[in-house]
Amino acid sequence: MDVSEGIKRDSKFPAFPFKPYSIQIDFMNALYQFLDQGGVSMLESPTGTGKTMSLICSALQWVLDRRQQQKSEEAGRGCRENQENHGGGSDDEPDWLRDFVVDKEKQVQCERTSKKKYGSRLGKPDKKHNREIYKDFHVIGEGSPPEEGCDNSYKKIDKVDVDVIDEEFLPEEYESEDEDLDNVTSKRKASNSGFALSSEEDESEEEEEEEEKKLKVFFCSRTHSQLSQFIKELRKTVFADEMDVVCLGSRKNLCINEEVLKLGNSSSINERCLELQKKKKNEPAKIKNVRASTGVRRTKALSGCPMLRKHRLQKEFRNEVSQGGALDIEDLAKLGRNLGTCPYYGSRSMVLSADLVVLPYQSLLSKSSREALGLNLKSNVVIIDEAHNLADSLISMHDSRITLAQLENVHSHLERYFDRFCNLLGPGNRRYIQTIMVLTRAFLRVLNNESANLLDSCQDIEKAFQESRASEFSMSVNDFIFELNVDNVNLIKLVKYIKESKIMHKVSSYGEKVTNLEKISAITKLGEHYEDGSTQSAFQSLADMLLSLTNNDNDGRIIISKSRTMGPRKQGGYIKYVMLSGEKIFSEIVDQAHAVLLVGGTLQPIEETRERLFPWLPQNQLHLFSCGHIVPPQNIMPIAVSRGPSGRSFDFSYNSRSSPDTMRELGLLLCNLVTIVSEGIVVFFSSFDYEAKVYEAWESSGILDRITKRKRIFREPRNNTDIESVLKEYKETVCPSSSMNSNGNPASPGGAVLLAVVGGKLSEGINLSDGMGRCIIMVGLPYPSPSDIELLERIKHIEGFRNSNPIETTTTFSTSYNVYSGDIKGGFDILRSCSHRGKEYYENLCMKAVNQSIGRAIRHMHDYAAILLVDTRYASDSSKRSFSHPVNKLPQWIKDRLVSSTNNYGEVHRLVHQFFKLDRRVCQ
């Protein structure tokens, strides 16, 4: 159902902080109506139209209205039941009994209010509360919990030796013969995320659960900066104070433990955090014995993260967040540092009581993450912002990859562990550990060219490896399992065993223990390769890979890469599972939630998204809304530029873009534009490598000097951590707040040039409003590289959608094994063999990136910018091209104003000069 022409419902949205535009009213009315109907909806509103504010005021108003409606209905039912039960004041029931029932209901309501305001343990000095008090004393060494058997346990520890300490690495006995694995019991709760070193469930088992709020909203976006922007808009409304809001972030963004943060990368931080939580639950870690050369010595050891030891501070953190309104990631981290308690786990503990949960893509779209965080989507509202690349983002989250170095690391640990504990393991554990060892050996044989079955199945594979330093081939999951001769392994049982037994954590922990005790380098003794991460990450990669192999055969492909490395080390390589279908993953979200809203600036083509995410949904049940832009048509000047100042044609196709003449012509174009554009010019390139090549060419030819005489040049850094400082300096140069710039020198009135990259940080989620983006130059068509094996596998999978001629598909892509050697030509051959669907997907990837990039410039109604699409293909006749015309996939508000062809560059220069003739500078 398309409601773009207008919505009959006349809803009022009092929370909107200013007078809304007409398209904002249409957007809010449409969203409100879609929430009433439930199901899947797609709402498209161009960037810069106040989409976020409209979304907030409509969705949260709907929640308030629905709750009020439910209260009224419950009150009505209660009144009717009371009349039925009591007959309107029957003499059969005395007045004091009716009054008692009413008073008791008031008391329960009062207790719930007190819990929310003062904490769930108010007035409850029970045993659990006492244990927490003793626990705090015990951690700091000032006492021990008066629990039964405590003294005996300490006496036992005093007599322990190294062999007994090793018992902590033994898994509980596992009954592996049961066909129904649901009957298998384990004393520990199963992990929700495959390996999950100490598992996410450990941290809050002592907390008293509070009642979860009904009807909440989950809002997710791709980056933390986009989530912060959402919180910023939310603060402008009354909802920030009226509703409980919690923002979830990654450990890297919220961790305040300096020792953990020093590790740098996200995976290491996650592993260290989970390891600390594991130690928190390890009772013998309070006082432990280590055998030294001269005997046994007793040492104290504080366990767990120091930022989580005091429950009182966590409670204080939650109270501060509740009273502080809507806080973003930075606010939560700052509050955690001020209180000295962990904001990551503090914010997670508030999910149950929240009305609105703001979180990144990964946390919502991954089932294991949802379960670990305790997110209940049932009958709630899910809003996915920036949904233009949702299908690709969703399936990429479920890829898995393990390298040769990681496999060697895991296998060496498994062998050492099995040699040590073989006689102590029960039959179930022994059998499963041996199975894991068999699988790792099979994977190693593939990457070490020792798997005869696999290589003999396709003679071209070995030939391809001999002809190039780096070759890759792909195959189906079933073929991979059969060729490795491991088809007799029940992978579903094995994955469940890994979850419940925590065996991989025990193996890796034992390896680390041995390394520390023997003072032997892990690299020398256990064959670790630290460039591929820690032992824990290696085991996690194996667990993820085994889980991937349990997917349906048609859901993904296996990619095997063998790269020849120079030097004395062995050749490298990896095995990767590439998820191709997001239908099953997304259906889990749709089936649970009351409504799922996909929101974005440009969601076209709608049909592709529907087929890739929810093909089961009939078109008449997909709710659609699309609106135009609020910016007046005269405020934009989009031009397709096919020739440069010297008359040379702009051809930025792969074979021509690195031509010195082409790069020089682009430089001459910029030299001319800096003379007529007074503020900021942003140039988007297809990749960092091509931007560096062009910059080097301009530098050697003297063009760079000509540009810098007019404007200062900034370049987008590859490292995201440097983005903020570069962007800040660029803005100060374009729109100086004073007559001096950040270096103390006079600010240049001519503005600046920012060289950016499509798909980089600056192309999504960053506002280049007003003077920061007066002119946007899109260099070429940023098609992804056709040599990418994962891209080709996805294209072939999409090519099979709704194909009415399966025989043709089989003849086109008949081999189970597909050999790639990084050849661009081979990739183009596959693209040419595709029908319309595969080519359309390839072009959509390109044009979605273009639309996101050029949409950075127009951010509000009074903004204005020139948009130059520099490539002859933007102006060429579509009948002469193998793909459809790219202009057809531009947003309508740009396409309506596009100057699609010009006779020469002089005409382009004249149009841009006239557009900027009136100085309308508005720096904010």
Side-chain angles (χ1 to χ4, degrees):
M1 180 185 64
D2 194 335
V3 292
S4 303
E5 299 302 324
I7 305 296
K8 295 180 179 180
R9 185 184 183 92
D10 185 26
S11 300
K12 301 299 179 182
F13 306 97
F16 210 88
F18 42 81
K19 184 178 179 180
Y21 303 122
S22 60
I23 64 172
Q24 291 175 323
I25 295 175
D26 292 341
F27 183 95
M28 289 188 287
N29 282 328
L31 192 149
Y32 196 102
Q33 178 175 319
F34 294 161
L35 288 176
D36 273 342
Q37 297 170 344
V40 181
S41 306
M42 300 180 72
L43 296 98
E44 186 178 56
S45 184
T47 54
T49 56
K51 167 173 57 71
T52 301
M53 181 61 72
S54 302
L55 191 155
I56 290 169
C57 294
S58 180
L60 299 187
Q61 186 63 49
W62 181 86
V63 170
L64 291 182
D65 293 347
R66 177 57 67 92
R67 284 180 175 173
Q68 186 61 42
Q69 179 184 350
Q70 290 174 347
K71 285 182 180 179
S72 299
E73 292 174 354
E74 290 174 0
R77 284 196 300 269
C79 183
R80 288 192 299 272
E81 291 173 359
N82 188 52
Q83 291 177 354
E84 292 173 0
N85 294 335
H86 307 305
S90 170
D91 292 338
D92 294 340
E93 186 175 87
D95 294 339
W96 65 266
L97 183 57
R98 289 197 296 269
D99 293 340
F100 174 77
V101 174
V102 174
D103 290 341
K104 186 173 182 180
E105 291 177 354
K106 290 183 178 179
Q107 181 181 354
V108 171
Q109 184 63 33
C110 183
E111 288 178 357
R112 288 179 179 175
T113 305
S114 299
K115 279 184 181 182
K116 180 179 179 181
K117 187 172 182 181
Y118 302 108
S120 60
R121 297 190 182 88
L122 184 66
K124 289 188 176 182
D126 55 9
K127 294 181 181 179
K128 183 167 22 179
H129 182 62
N130 290 336
R131 284 200 302 271
E132 288 180 359
I133 295 175
Y134 284 118
K135 182 178 181 180
D136 286 339
F137 281 115
H138 185 63
V139 168
I140 60 177
E142 297 182 8
S144 59
E147 298 179 357
E148 295 183 6
C150 181
D151 293 337
N152 293 336
S153 64
Y154 276 92
K155 290 177 182 178
K156 183 178 180 180
I157 292 177
D158 286 339
K159 297 179 181 179
V160 84
D161 60 17
V162 175
D163 290 338
V164 178
I165 288 179
D166 284 350
E167 288 184 2
E168 68 179 276
F169 304 114
L170 281 173
E172 297 166 9
E173 183 51 42
Y174 197 88
E175 296 295 335
S176 62
E177 297 304 321
D178 289 345
E179 290 299 323
D180 184 5
L181 286 181
D182 292 334
N183 294 328
V184 179
T185 57
S186 176
K187 293 181 181 180
R188 291 189 180 90
K189 182 179 178 182
S191 167
N192 291 316
S193 56
F195 182 21
L197 289 176
S198 86
S199 191
E200 304 280 6
E201 77 274 4
D202 289 341
E203 57 269 0
S204 60
E205 65 184 19
E206 295 180 2
E207 294 290 334
E208 180 176 321
E209 288 191 10
E210 53 186 308
E211 185 178 352
E212 182 168 11
K213 285 195 176 176
K214 296 180 180 179
L215 193 56
K216 63 178 62 181
V217 175
F218 294 93
F219 175 89
C220 72
S221 194
R222 299 182 67 185
T223 65
H224 283 103
S225 62
Q226 290 166 342
L227 297 179
S228 296
Q229 181 65 28
F230 177 86
I231 294 293
K232 182 179 179 181
E233 293 293 297
L234 179 64
R235 288 173 185 158
K236 298 176 183 178
T237 72
V238 296
F239 294 121
D241 298 320
E242 292 182 356
M243 288 190 160
D244 291 327
V245 183
V246 62
C247 191
L248 302 181
S250 64
R251 286 182 174 87
K252 185 174 183 180
N253 289 89
L254 286 176
C255 179
I256 60 172
N257 187 330
E258 296 299 330
E259 292 300 317
V260 176
L261 283 176
K262 287 179 182 178
L263 298 174
N265 64 74
S266 298
S267 59
S268 298
I269 290 174
N270 291 340
E271 290 164 10
R272 181 55 180 158
C273 175
L274 290 172
E275 182 182 350
L276 288 173
Q277 303 319 304
K278 176 263 300 184
K279 289 183 178 179
K280 180 180 178 181
K281 296 297 176 183
N282 191 0
E283 292 299 332
K286 302 297 182 183
I287 296 180
K288 64 181 181 181
N289 298 293
V290 178
R291 170 169 292 186
S293 58
T294 57
V296 177
R297 58 187 175 90
R298 188 181 183 194
T299 63
K300 281 186 179 181
L302 294 179
S303 63
C305 178
M307 301 303 166
L308 270 174
R309 287 184 188 142
K310 296 184 178 179
H311 294 272
R312 174 182 58 81
L313 292 180
Q314 280 283 290
K315 182 178 176 182
E316 185 177 348
F317 175 87
R318 292 192 292 270
N319 290 338
E320 290 284 342
V321 174
S322 297
Q323 297 170 10
L327 303 182
D328 62 14
I329 301 295
E330 289 74 19
D331 297 326
L332 293 173
K334 183 178 179 180
L335 177 61
R337 289 190 181 94
N338 291 339
L339 295 177
T341 190
C342 178
Y344 174 76
Y345 283 108
S347 58
R348 281 180 46 165
S349 66
M350 300 182 66
V351 169
L352 280 178
S353 61
D355 300 294
L356 171 63
V357 181
V358 182
L359 68 169
Y361 264 26
Q362 177 69 38
S363 300
L364 183 100
L365 299 179
S366 169
K367 182 179 180 181
S368 61
S369 296
R370 290 197 306 272
E371 291 177 345
L373 293 169
L375 305 183
N376 180 16
L377 304 185
K378 188 172 180 58
S379 302
N380 289 321
V381 175
V382 174
I383 300 175
I384 303 175
D385 196 17
E386 300 296 328
H388 53 280
N389 285 327
L390 176 60
D392 286 326
S393 299
L394 184 65
I395 59 178
S396 65
M397 290 177 190
H398 294 78
D399 291 348
S400 58
R401 181 176 182 269
I402 188 165
T403 66
L404 174 63
Q406 288 176 322
L407 283 167
E408 290 174 340
N409 187 2
V410 168
H411 190 64
S412 63
H413 276 78
L414 283 169
E415 283 189 327
R416 166 167 284 208
Y417 179 89
F418 193 74
D419 288 344
R420 170 65 182 83
F421 295 105
C422 179
N423 295 329
L424 300 176
L425 292 169
N429 284 307
R430 191 184 306 121
R431 188 177 302 110
Y432 276 113
I433 293 172
Q434 287 176 315
T435 302
I436 298 172
M437 293 172 66
V438 167
L439 287 168
T440 56
R441 280 196 292 266
F443 293 161
L444 283 169
R445 286 198 301 271
V446 172
L447 295 179
N448 285 323
N449 284 337
E450 298 172 3
S451 181
N453 289 342
L454 189 61
L455 294 178
D456 290 343
S457 299
C458 184
Q459 297 178 356
D460 292 337
I461 294 176
E462 187 63 30
K463 181 180 179 181
F465 286 139
Q466 293 173 354
E467 292 176 351
S468 62
R469 286 189 60 210
S471 292
E472 299 173 319
F473 66 98
S474 69
M475 58 195 306
S476 69
V477 174
N478 285 349
D479 286 338
F480 177 72
I481 292 173
F482 280 113
E483 297 293 354
L484 292 185
N485 198 25
V486 293
D487 53 295
N488 59 330
V489 176
N490 190 325
L491 290 172
I492 296 177
K493 277 190 175 185
L494 182 62
V495 167
K496 185 151 190 175
Y497 167 77
I498 291 171
K499 286 182 180 181
E500 295 191 343
S501 67
K502 307 294 192 303
I503 185 60
M504 290 191 169
H505 172 67
K506 294 180 181 295
V507 173
S508 61
S509 297
Y510 175 72
E512 292 172 359
K513 182 91 169 183
V514 170
T515 301
N516 292 334
L517 287 176
E518 297 182 1
K519 307 294 183 183
I520 295 177
S521 167
I523 296 179
T524 303
K525 189 71 177 176
L526 299 177
E528 291 191 58
H529 296 266
Y530 283 103
E531 66 270 20
D532 288 296
S534 67
T535 302
Q536 290 93 334
S537 64
F539 275 100
Q540 180 66 64
S541 296
L542 177 61
D544 291 341
M545 177 59 66
L546 295 177
L547 180 62
S548 296
L549 295 179
T550 64
N551 287 320
N552 294 333
D553 188 51
N554 294 330
D555 288 346
R557 294 279 287 183
I558 294 292
I559 294 175
I560 300 173
S561 175
K562 303 184 182 184
S563 57
R564 307 288 184 182
T565 57
M566 294 180 292
R569 290 187 53 199
K570 296 180 180 180
Q571 67 173 29
Y574 63 83
I575 301 172
K576 183 172 184 177
Y577 174 84
V578 179
M579 178 70 78
L580 300 176
S581 173
E583 175 184 342
K584 182 175 67 175
I585 305 168
F586 197 69
S587 66
E588 295 172 350
I589 298 173
V590 175
D591 292 343
Q592 293 182 49
H594 162 73
V596 178
L597 307 179
L598 309 185
V599 184
T602 304
L603 297 181
Q604 300 292 340
I606 300 295
E607 182 60 20
E608 178 197 309
T609 303
R610 189 188 72 82
E611 286 200 336
R612 296 187 65 194
L613 290 180
F614 33 89
W616 69 87
L617 189 69
Q619 285 187 326
N620 60 357
Q621 293 184 21
L622 175 62
H623 314 308
L624 303 175
F625 173 83
S626 181
C627 65
H629 210 296
I630 56 175
V631 66
Q634 63 271 20
N635 278 25
I636 61 171
M637 176 55 70
I639 307 174
V641 183
S642 55
R643 294 188 179 275
S646 64
R648 183 178 178 85
S649 177
F650 278 128
D651 181 7
F652 289 97
S653 60
Y654 182 80
N655 292 328
S656 304
R657 65 181 183 180
S658 297
S659 163
D661 291 337
T662 301
M663 292 187 288
R664 181 178 181 278
E665 196 74 13
L666 179 63
L668 294 176
L669 170 66
L670 194 55
C671 286
N672 281 274
L673 290 175
V674 296
T675 64
I676 56 177
V677 181
S678 60
E679 296 173 287
I681 299 176
V682 183
V683 186
F684 282 104
F685 293 90
S686 58
S687 67
F688 279 105
D689 290 340
Y690 186 59
E691 183 270 343
K693 186 176 293 187
V694 171
Y695 187 88
E696 183 181 346
W698 289 352
E699 194 172 33
S700 60
S701 65
I703 288 178
L704 203 61
D705 292 336
R706 293 173 59 181
I707 297 173
T708 52
K709 286 179 181 179
R710 288 278 186 170
K711 293 183 185 292
R712 185 179 172 186
I713 292 184
F714 293 85
R715 304 173 68 187
E716 178 175 355
R718 289 177 182 261
N719 190 346
N720 287 341
T721 57
D722 299 328
I723 288 286
E724 210 58 48
S725 59
V726 172
L727 201 59
K728 182 180 179 181
E729 193 170 0
Y730 169 72
K731 182 177 181 179
E732 184 64 25
T733 304
V734 171
C735 300
S737 57
S738 64
S739 59
M740 306 294 286
N741 62 23
S742 59
N743 295 325
N745 301 319
S748 170
V753 175
L754 177 60
L755 307 182
V757 174
V758 174
K761 188 77 171 179
L762 294 177
S763 67
E764 290 198 39
I766 299 295
N767 289 343
L768 299 173
S769 59
D770 300 313
M772 294 180 68
R774 280 292 173 239
C775 180
I776 303 294
I777 302 175
M778 174 58 61
V779 179
L781 286 159
Y783 287 106
S785 172
S787 64
D788 184 353
I789 183 174
E790 296 179 32
L791 172 65
L792 294 176
E793 289 298 332
R794 290 196 172 109
I795 288 174
K796 292 191 296 181
H797 179 73
I798 290 169
E799 183 70 11
F801 279 166
R802 305 293 183 268
N803 197 309
S804 59
N805 188 354
I807 298 178
E808 180 182 349
T809 304
T810 304
T811 55
T812 305
F813 306 117
S814 59
T815 58
S816 170
Y817 304 90
N818 295 292
V819 183
Y820 303 89
S821 58
D823 180 22
I824 296 289
K825 181 180 179 301
F828 277 123
D829 289 342
I830 291 178
L831 283 170
R832 292 189 187 97
S833 67
C834 289
S835 65
H836 173 70
R837 193 176 299 279
K839 293 177 181 177
E840 183 180 34
Y841 169 72
Y842 184 64
E843 184 164 319
N844 288 340
L845 289 175
C846 169
M847 294 309 298
K848 284 179 182 179
V850 170
N851 294 337
Q852 283 295 310
S853 299
I854 61 182
R856 299 299 97 203
I858 304 297
R859 310 305 300 175
H860 57 83
M861 185 175 185
H862 303 292
D863 211 349
Y864 62 96
I867 300 170
L868 304 186
L869 306 174
V870 184
D871 197 303
T872 185
R873 290 172 291 181
Y874 286 109
S876 64
D877 184 0
S878 60
S879 63
K880 300 178 181 178
R881 306 180 68 247
S882 58
F883 297 118
S884 62
H885 203 293
V887 169
N888 294 335
K889 296 186 182 296
L890 289 171
Q892 194 64 41
W893 59 279
I894 291 180
K895 188 162 47 174
D896 290 343
R897 289 283 296 166
L898 179 68
V899 179
S900 58
S901 64
T902 52
N903 296 324
N904 50 55
Y905 173 75
E907 188 176 350
V908 173
H909 193 88
R910 178 181 60 80
L911 289 171
V912 176
H913 180 68
Q914 288 178 345
F915 182 75
F916 288 109
K917 188 164 57 175
L918 295 177
D919 188 4
R920 300 172 289 183
R921 182 178 302 184
V922 183
C923 289
Q924 295 181 348

